[in-house]
Every structure is written in C-alpha cells, then in structure tokens.
C-alpha cells in the first residue's frame, strides 16, 4: 500500500443519481477508492455498471439534468473537487486532472489544427507566449511518438489515423502534466495491434511523468497487463477491490469469478481450449429495479436466502482485498 | 478430410475510387485481393483480422450479398458465383448469416415470433398453427421462452436479441451459417452464453460456420481452423491448435503478441509491430505486410508471397525461409 502522503485522488462514498422517465436510479452508489502518484487503478465491469459515470463525476462533467452527484467527496491532492464552483473547476480540468475518451473526436475539434488545439489547452492554464506553447505542443506530439511532429502539428484531426488521433488526444491531455489522468476505454475502438501500442505508450508516459491513472475498461486482459490495483463494479456499486495479483489469483466475489471464467482466452502454447466457456446466466439487472439484497443474487450460483434480503457489506479480507459478498470466504473453495 | 461444403477460389472484390468533377478513377480499393479457402461440413473456420482487412466483404461475397469482382464460390460442388437471383433462391435456404449488431438487424415493429417465423412463411414451408409450433421450438433451441414470441425487439436484452437472430438463421435448416462478429457487441458475460449456444447448435445440427471476428480469443474458442487476413489477403491458415502454438506469419505473431493476457504474471504487452495498417487503396506492393514487418527483406517489397504449405496443411504466405514463414 502506498503511503497516504502520496495520494493523488481520494474518493469517498461517491453517489451519483439520474432522474429519468423510468424513474430515479443510482448510477454510482457509495463508491470509494484512492489513487497514488504513478499508480494505475483499473475500473472494470460490464456495460452500464457505472464506470463512465464515475469518471464523469470525478471530472464534474455529469450532465445535469438528468444526473446529479448527491453524495461523497472527491479529493484531488488537497482540493475537494465537489466543493468548487464551476469556474474554479474549469481551471483544474485539463490542468491537474484530465480525461481521455474511447472516441478521440469527442475531445478534438475537427476544424482546428492538432498543434493549435494543444497550444490552446496549454495557454488556458499557463501564462506562456504562443511561441513557448507551440514548442510544448510539438514536444508533446514527439512524446506520444507521433512521427514528424512538426508537420503533424499543422494537420487536422481527420488527416490522422485512429491510432494517431488517440495519440494526439493523449498529448493534449498530458500537456499540462496533470496529477491524475482518467482514461475511459481508451483503446476499445482500436485494433489489437494499435491497442497494444497505445497501452504501452500510456504506461510509459505515466511512469515518466508520475501521473496517477484511472483506467476504465471492460477487458480483464487490459487490466492484468496495465494496472496495479483494480475495482470491480456491478450495478453501480464497487463489489470487489484488490491488487491485480490478488484479484487474478483468487477473486473473492462470485461475479468477478464468473467474469474471469467466462472470457475466452487465446490458448497458451500446448493447452487446448476448453470445450465450453463458463457462463454467467441471466442478464445485468435494470438499475431502476434493483433487487433489495445483493444485486448479483439473481445470477449467482452461491446465493442463499440472506443474499436476497440484505445487501452484503464491503469487507476487508486481508491485505486490502475487499469484497461485498455474504459468501466471499467460501468462494475459493465452493466454485 | 471432411466433405467440402464451401470452396472459395481466388476471390477478389475491388472498388474504384473516384475523385474530381469528372469522377475519374484515381485508385482501387483492394477490399479482397485473391482469397482462397474451403470449409468442410460441420466445420468452423474462423476468419480473423483487423478492421478493414476484408473479412466482412468475404462473408458477403460468399452469400452473394455483394458481387465479387472475380473468383469462384462453390457450394456443395456447384459453382454459385454467377447464378441468377432465381437460381440462387434454392441455395438461400442453405446459407444464413448472423450479424454483429442485433439491434440493427431486427425490425423494431415486428414481434419476435414473426421475425423468426418469417423465412418459413416466405418459403411457404409452414403456416398457421404449424408455423407457430415450429417457431416455439426454435425459441426453445436458442434458450428463449416461447411466451416471449409476442414481445418486440426492444423488450429483449442484447444477448437475447442475438438469440432471436440465431433462431431466425436456424429456421430453414441451413448447412452454412456465416457469423459476422456475432458477439462483438455483447457484454463479456453474455458473449460466453452466445458462443456456447453456437457450439451446442453445431453439435446438434452439424452445420458449418464461417466465423468472422476481430477477437482472437473468441475465434480460438469456437473454430476448428483459423485463417488470418491482412489487407484483403489470407496470410496464414491452419488448424486452430497449430496456428496458436506455432504461428509462422510475422503478422499472426504480432497479432497474438498484442492480445492482452488476463494474467498479471504473464509477459507484459510487447507490441511487435509499429505504425498503422496501410490503406487498402493501392496497398503496398510485394508482401502487403512488409511496411510493418520486423523481418522484411528486399524481396518482400517486390515479390508477392502466395499461400504455401509449411507442413501438415499449415499454410502461410511469407517469403521467409523458402516461403514457410518464421518459426518463433
Ligand atoms: N445522461 C444520462 N442519462 C440517463 N442515464 C444515464 C446517462 N448517462 C449514463 N446513464 C446511465 O447510468 C448507468 C451507468 O452508465 P455508465 O455510462 O457509467 O456505464 P459504463 O459502466 O460506463 O458502461 P459501458 O461499459 O457501456 O461504457 C447506466 O444505466 C446508464 O444508462
Ligand atoms: S452476496 Fe450472495 S448473491 Fe451476492 S454474490 Fe455473494 S453469494 Fe452471491
Ligand atoms: Mg462507459
């Protein structure tokens, strides 16, 4: 465990709700976690479990209406982000906390040259001459390994390939050397060979700059290869948290366990692929009509009476390995 | 050797690229550029490759949903490449397709039972009570409840919608089902359900799959043989176990090395290729992979490698080591 003075981000009991036609629901329900300097925390879970809303909450970018952060604290270094005015938050966004998205065009301006966009982002936060900012822009493009950065800086986003655009977005996000970078499925839309390049790049830069990284993904392979710690979300809640080693060695939550068993793997040399994959039966519940007890109970093979009646508390099973399951102690033996 | 159900020979699909007011042709997209493979009865051939490599164009050409530029497609020994629409109808029943997006491929205004029963009705194979009974049976086969026949597509989850598509594909008792990224839009836990269903159905009915996906792990799981495509060409094709144990094409090796392994103790990501896939408009001469290949030689820039047997039916299109590729 990292020493607390090294904490970049400290999220406590975050709660974000949406008011929709079909009712009110908690997209993020009582979620806590921390990120240290230079650390990668992965958030993993299936579609709709609240990963992106968590990220948007940290950035204070939840669309309101229909969404609203209704509880908790988000402390970035020594600043309580949820207490800031929108104007104060705007100064911090892109400077001390940055975000990159699955689709680079959500943060790139299609009608502005790549270099100018970085210049603009830098000058918004730093008192620099246009010349100095331009040098930083080219330097950043070089850092993200875009070939011929001087020429590329003069190009428009559509002139770059998908992988190059993703690099340009990373360059922009890191230009002010933020303390925390949030990457929401940054490689999901990319081909696997490009994904490997981009992930390697993000990790290299993070090491070089000491940035804290929150990496959101649904791919357990990406988690295993990039993160030091993981949180697993299900239906808006954190159901498990552990170091990657501990999580993959012995998941404590039946959902995590099911997820790991259900992913097809590229067979290791000499190992035949199994006949059938393990499935998790059923589907993810609607957030508007969550079961009273454990949200995973309707799909869980270990569920007992108590699971349907009471939500299991997050419990530390040793060494910072947390799980919210009534039967976590038995999961390893039973399954 | 199993009986050959499908034989594709030197399939090409080129599109002209036009520009300017005169719409002059300025280039050619080589979407599929000389693809050959065969598929046995009851066999699954996985077709993998990155976006734009031509996988879906191969799929659609096989089904004659698009007209190939040249090449030959034989189904059960019969050349169907140039059959007229009416002559093709007879074969339509034996070839079906399941698409990636279960949302887009279902008519939102039709109830699920009608969607699944439509092919039977159109071909005049059943009507009334008999049709309803057949559809109910299809629902059960794909793990849906017959009482869900009255529901509309939006009342189903993504995984269930894909089951509806599969039921519809099964309706006419096909011998070949082309699956074009059938699980890519689904959540991980739901992917496994659909993959298992496809495997089970094949065991029961003995049909063949041409299974297209960009996810190597999914392909590794369901296929008997695997073909790897790059820029419109098959660069390697082999039995599944052989391909994953002993990939011989530098591109296949790079692809495999790029897949993040769900084990933190396993080797960290080591990209074996730099740069992007070149554009299929006027692709590189010689070996199309030479611009990114770690082993490229002078010859690779000029000579186009053809698929050659490197032993035991393991075919590779690479000039290294007398055309047998590179052992790892
Ligand atoms: N603007 C919005 N209005 C209403 N509901 C929303 C909005 N944004 C998100 N939600 C809902 O909040 C829940 C959590 O969504 P979120 O986008 O965080 O999921 P996710 O884990 O990022 O999923 P994915 O893997 O698909 O990206 C979902 O039920 C989603 O439908
Ligand atoms: S609390 Fe009960 S239902 Fe929930 S995951 Fe644990 S055993 Fe399963
Ligand atoms: Mg998301």
């Amino acid at each position: 465990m990292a020493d607390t003075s090294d904490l970049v981000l400290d999220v406590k009991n975050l709660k974000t709700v949406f008011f929709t036609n079909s009712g009110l629901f908690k997209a993020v329900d009582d979620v806590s976690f921390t990120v240290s300097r230079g650390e990668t925390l992965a958030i993993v879970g299936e579609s709709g479990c609240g990963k992106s809303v968590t990220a948007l909450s940290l950035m204070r970018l939840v669309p309101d209406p229909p969404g609203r952060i209704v509880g908790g604290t988000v402390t970035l270094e020594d600043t309580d982000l949820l207490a800031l005015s929108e104007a104060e938050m705007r100064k911090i966004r892109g400077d001390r906390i940055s975000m990159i998205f699955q689709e680079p065009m959500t943060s790139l301006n299609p009608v502005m040259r790549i270099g100018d966009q970085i210049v603009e982002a830098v000058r918004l936060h730093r008192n620099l001459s246009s010349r100095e900012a331009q040098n930083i822009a080219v330097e950043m493009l070089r850092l993200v390994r875009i070939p011929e950065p001087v020429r590329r800086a003069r190009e428009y986003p559509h002139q770059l390939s998908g992988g190059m655009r993703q690099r340009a977005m990373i360059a922009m996000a890191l230009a002010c050397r933020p303390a925390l970078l949030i990457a929401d499925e940054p490689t999901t839309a990319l081909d696997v060979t490009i994904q490997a390049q981009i992930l390697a790049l993000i990790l290299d830069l993070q090491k070089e700059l000491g940035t804290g990284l929150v990496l959101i993904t649904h791919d357990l392979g990406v988690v295993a290869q990039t993160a030091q710690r993981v949180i697993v979300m299900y239906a808006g809640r954190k159901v498990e948290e552990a170091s990657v080693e501990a999580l993959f060695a012995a998941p404590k939550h039946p959902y995590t366990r099911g997820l790991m068993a259900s992913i097809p793997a590229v067979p290791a040399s000499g190992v035949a692929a199994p006949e059938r994959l393990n499935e998790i039966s059923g589907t993810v519940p609607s957030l508007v009509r969550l079961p009273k007890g454990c949200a995973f109970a309707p799909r869980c093979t270990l569920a007992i009476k108590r699971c349907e009646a009471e939500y299991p508390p997050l419990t530390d099973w040793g060494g910072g390995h947390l799980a919210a399951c009534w039967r976590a102690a038995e999961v390893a033996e039973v399954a | 050797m199993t009986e050959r159900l499908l034989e594709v020979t030197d399939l090409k699909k080129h599109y002209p690229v036009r520009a300017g007011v005169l719409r002059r042709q300025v280039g050619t997209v080589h979407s599929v550029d000389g693809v050959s493979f065969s598929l046995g009865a009851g066999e699954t051939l996985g077709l993998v490759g990155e976006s734009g490599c031509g996988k879906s164009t191969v799929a659609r050409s096989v089904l004659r949903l698009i007209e190939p530029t040249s090449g030959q497609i034989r189904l059960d020994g019969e050349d169907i490449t140039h059959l007229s629409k009416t002559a093709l109808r007879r074969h339509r029943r034996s070839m079906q397709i399941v698409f990636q997006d279960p949302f887009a491929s279902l008519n939102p205004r039709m109830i699920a039972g009608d969607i699944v029963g439509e092919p039977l009705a159109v071909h005049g194979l059943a009507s009334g009570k008999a049709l309803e009974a057949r559809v109910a049976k299809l629902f059960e086969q794909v793990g849906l409840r017959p009482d869900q026949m009255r529901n509309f597509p939006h009342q189903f989850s993504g995984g269930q919608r894909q089951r509806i598509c599969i039921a519809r594909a099964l309706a006419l008792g096909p011998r070949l089902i082309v699956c074009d990224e059938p699980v890519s839009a689904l959540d991980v836990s739901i992917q496994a359900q659909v993959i298992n269903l496809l495997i089970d159905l094949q065991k029961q009915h003995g049909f063949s799959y041409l299974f297209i996906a960009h996810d190597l792990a999914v392909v590794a799981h369901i296929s008997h043989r695997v073909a790897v495509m790059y820029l419109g060409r098959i660069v390697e094709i082999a039995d599944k176990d052989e391909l994953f144990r002993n990939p011989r094409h530098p591109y296949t090796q790079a692809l495999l090395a790029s897949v993040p392994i769900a084990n933190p103790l396993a080797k960290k990501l080591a990209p074996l290729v730099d740069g992007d896939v070149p554009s299929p408009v006027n692709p590189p001469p010689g070996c199309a992979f030479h611009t990114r290949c770690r082993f490229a030689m002078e010859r690779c820039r000029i000579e186009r490698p053809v698929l050659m047997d490197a032993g035991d039916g393991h075919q590779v299109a690479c000039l290294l080591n007398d055309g047998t590729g590179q052992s790892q």
Side-chain angles (χ1 to χ4, degrees):
Chain A
M1 277 266 118
D3 152 359
T4 47
S5 62
D6 243 14
L7 278 194
V8 178
L9 181 74
D10 189 356
V11 178
K12 284 206 173 79
N13 311 100
L14 181 67
K15 195 179 259 192
T16 303
V17 299
F18 281 93
F19 303 86
T20 66
N21 292 338
S22 38
L24 173 141
F25 64 85
K26 302 174 202 150
V28 179
D29 190 6
D30 201 19
V31 169
S32 304
F33 56 89
T34 63
V35 183
S36 301
R37 210 164 296 287
E39 182 187 41
T40 301
L41 171 80
I43 304 182
V44 68
E46 289 178 278
S47 189
C49 72
K51 304 182 297 290
S52 296
V53 174
T54 301
L56 293 176
S57 303
L58 305 184
M59 293 290 288
R60 291 265 311 268
L61 288 174
V62 176
D64 176 6
R68 192 174 310 155
I69 302 173
V70 295
T73 55
V74 175
T75 314
L76 178 73
E77 296 179 308
D78 43 18
T79 316
D80 179 2
L81 298 186
L82 301 188
L84 299 181
S85 68
E86 177 51 34
E88 290 167 322
M89 188 63 209
R90 222 172 296 136
K91 288 204 194 104
I92 289 186
R93 244 184 250 130
D95 183 10
R96 290 168 56 201
I97 182 170
S98 273
M99 182 158 171
I100 56 180
F101 301 86
Q102 173 173 338
E103 180 37 69
M105 290 316 285
T106 43
S107 35
L108 293 177
N109 181 343
V111 295
M112 203 172 164
R113 296 171 202 274
I114 294 290
D116 293 345
Q117 299 194 40
I118 302 177
V119 166
E120 194 185 70
V122 173
R123 292 190 74 192
L124 194 66
H125 300 293
R126 300 277 183 280
N127 197 1
L128 295 177
S129 71
S130 139
R131 188 54 189 271
E132 288 166 320
Q134 250 152 28
N135 288 340
I136 291 184
V138 170
E139 201 34 58
M140 286 313 295
L141 293 178
R142 195 187 316 276
L143 195 67
V144 297
R145 296 176 210 145
I146 289 185
E148 306 175 73
V150 180
R151 183 171 69 82
R152 291 298 188 175
R154 287 196 298 268
E155 292 191 339
Y156 292 92
H158 75 264
Q159 292 173 288
L160 305 183
S161 68
M164 285 298 159
R165 254 182 249 154
Q166 202 58 285
R167 286 172 196 267
M169 181 169 65
I170 294 169
M172 195 156 88
L174 292 178
C176 290
R177 312 279 155 124
L180 185 78
L181 177 67
I182 303 168
D184 189 356
E185 307 266 7
T187 57
T188 306
L190 301 174
D191 278 322
V192 61
T193 58
I194 310 296
Q195 161 170 287
Q197 295 169 14
I198 298 289
L199 288 177
L201 172 73
I202 293 177
L203 295 185
D204 283 356
L205 292 180
Q206 178 203 18
K207 212 174 282 161
E208 208 172 311
L209 309 177
T211 319
L213 176 64
V214 175
L215 181 75
I216 293 174
T217 176
H218 64 278
D219 185 335
L220 283 167
V222 169
V223 173
Q225 296 296 320
T226 58
Q228 282 89 52
R229 269 185 320 121
V230 201
I231 69 180
V232 181
M233 288 184 72
Y234 189 77
R237 286 195 172 108
K238 177 169 93 174
V239 296
E240 184 157 9
E241 169 171 354
S243 70
V244 262
E245 290 79 13
L247 190 88
F248 282 88
K252 291 228 170 274
H253 197 284
Y255 172 63
T256 313
R257 201 181 172 84
L259 212 52
M260 282 183 187
S262 67
I263 44 171
V266 169
S269 196
V271 183
E275 268 286 277
R276 285 172 64 88
L277 290 164
N278 286 304
E279 330 178 338
I280 304 179
S281 65
T283 52
V284 179
S286 150
L287 291 179
V288 186
R289 282 178 300 277
L290 276 189
K292 182 154 145 270
C294 171
F296 189 57
R299 306 175 74 187
C300 181
T301 50
L302 300 185
I304 47 175
K305 272 251 144 49
R306 185 174 200 183
C307 305
E308 278 151 44
E310 280 174 81
Y311 190 81
L314 257 183
T315 308
D316 193 333
W317 297 93
H321 192 153
L322 312 181
C325 166
W326 291 118
R327 303 193 63 188
E330 305 153 70
V331 168
E333 297 103 73
V334 184
Chain B
M1 263 275 161
T2 37
E3 179 197 336
R4 305 283 84 181
L5 176 70
L6 176 73
E7 294 244 28
V8 173
T9 315
D10 205 22
L11 184 73
K12 290 187 182 158
K13 179 67 187 176
H14 295 172
Y15 294 96
V17 183
R18 298 182 190 283
V21 268
L22 298 175
R23 311 294 298 148
R24 269 218 314 258
Q25 182 169 345
V26 293
T28 307
V29 186
H30 298 246
S31 292
V32 175
D33 204 18
V35 159
S36 305
F37 63 87
S38 65
L39 179 60
E43 186 185 43
T44 301
L45 175 69
L47 201 54
V48 280
E50 298 180 278
S51 54
C53 73
K55 309 180 292 284
S56 297
T57 310
V58 169
R60 282 166 178 71
S61 306
V62 163
L63 295 172
R64 290 275 316 275
L65 297 174
I66 54 178
E67 295 303 322
T69 307
S70 65
Q72 195 185 50
I73 300 150
R74 299 175 80 88
L75 187 71
D76 260 334
E78 187 182 341
D79 187 344
I80 62 161
T81 328
H82 305 288
L83 286 189
S84 68
K85 278 233 155 62
T86 20
L88 202 58
R89 228 182 106 100
R90 193 160 43 87
H91 294 283
R92 283 267 181 255
R93 283 177 57 180
S94 37
M95 302 187 292
Q96 293 294 320
I97 185 161
V98 175
F99 293 104
Q100 165 172 4
D101 191 348
F103 303 85
S105 47
L106 296 175
N107 182 341
R109 280 182 292 277
M110 271 169 86
I111 57 167
D114 288 348
I115 293 175
V116 172
E118 191 180 45
L120 288 165
V122 166
H123 280 83
L125 297 173
S127 62
K129 281 267 169 286
L131 177 61
E132 210 175 302
R134 294 266 295 263
V135 173
K137 185 127 187 284
L138 287 164
F139 265 59
E140 278 169 358
Q141 280 189 20
V142 298
L144 294 170
R145 294 190 314 274
D147 65 80
Q148 293 172 299
M149 282 161 58
R150 313 229 147 272
N151 295 351
F152 288 93
H154 74 265
Q155 294 169 289
F156 293 89
S157 69
Q160 288 173 325
R161 274 183 260 214
Q162 200 54 294
R163 289 174 193 264
I164 296 173
C165 296
I166 294 168
R168 183 183 157 99
L170 290 179
L172 296 173
R175 309 196 39 214
L176 169 66
I177 300 184
V178 175
C179 302
D180 191 358
E181 302 269 8
V183 298
S184 323
L186 304 176
D187 261 323
V188 194
S189 76
I190 309 301
Q191 275 192 7
Q193 295 174 3
V194 173
I195 293 171
N196 282 343
L197 173 66
L198 290 170
I199 294 175
D200 292 347
L201 289 171
Q202 183 178 52
K203 288 216 179 95
Q204 284 161 32
H205 299 275
F207 38 61
S208 310
Y209 288 125
L210 178 59
F211 192 96
I212 294 163
H214 68 280
D215 185 332
L216 280 158
V218 167
V219 164
H221 200 81
I222 198 166
S223 310
H224 302 113
R225 277 189 310 137
V226 176
V228 180
M229 280 187 78
Y230 187 77
L231 277 178
R233 306 169 191 181
I234 291 180
V235 297
E236 184 159 14
I237 181 166
D239 279 341
K240 170 180 66 184
D241 292 333
E242 167 68 13
L243 187 97
F244 287 103
R245 195 181 309 130
N246 183 25
R248 303 192 65 90
H249 197 284
Y251 176 63
T252 311
Q253 293 169 1
L255 209 52
L256 283 171
S258 300
V259 179
I261 304 165
N263 174 1
L265 306 176
K267 178 164 69 83
K268 292 290 169 194
L269 281 177
L272 290 184
V273 281
D274 284 333
D276 294 319
V277 181
S279 153
V281 183
N282 310 329
C287 172
F289 188 58
H290 84 252
T291 56
R292 302 170 80 199
C293 181
R294 294 186 293 161
F295 307 108
M297 315 172 285
E298 202 45 49
R299 272 178 75 196
C300 305
R301 291 170 228 283
I302 306 151
E303 245 176 273
R304 174 169 168 172
V306 290
L307 272 178
M308 296 223 303
D309 202 315
D312 287 335
H314 185 154
Q315 294 185 304
V316 60
C318 170
L319 296 172
L320 293 165
N321 301 306
D322 298 323
T324 63
Q326 177 83 18
S327 255
Q328 260 179 334

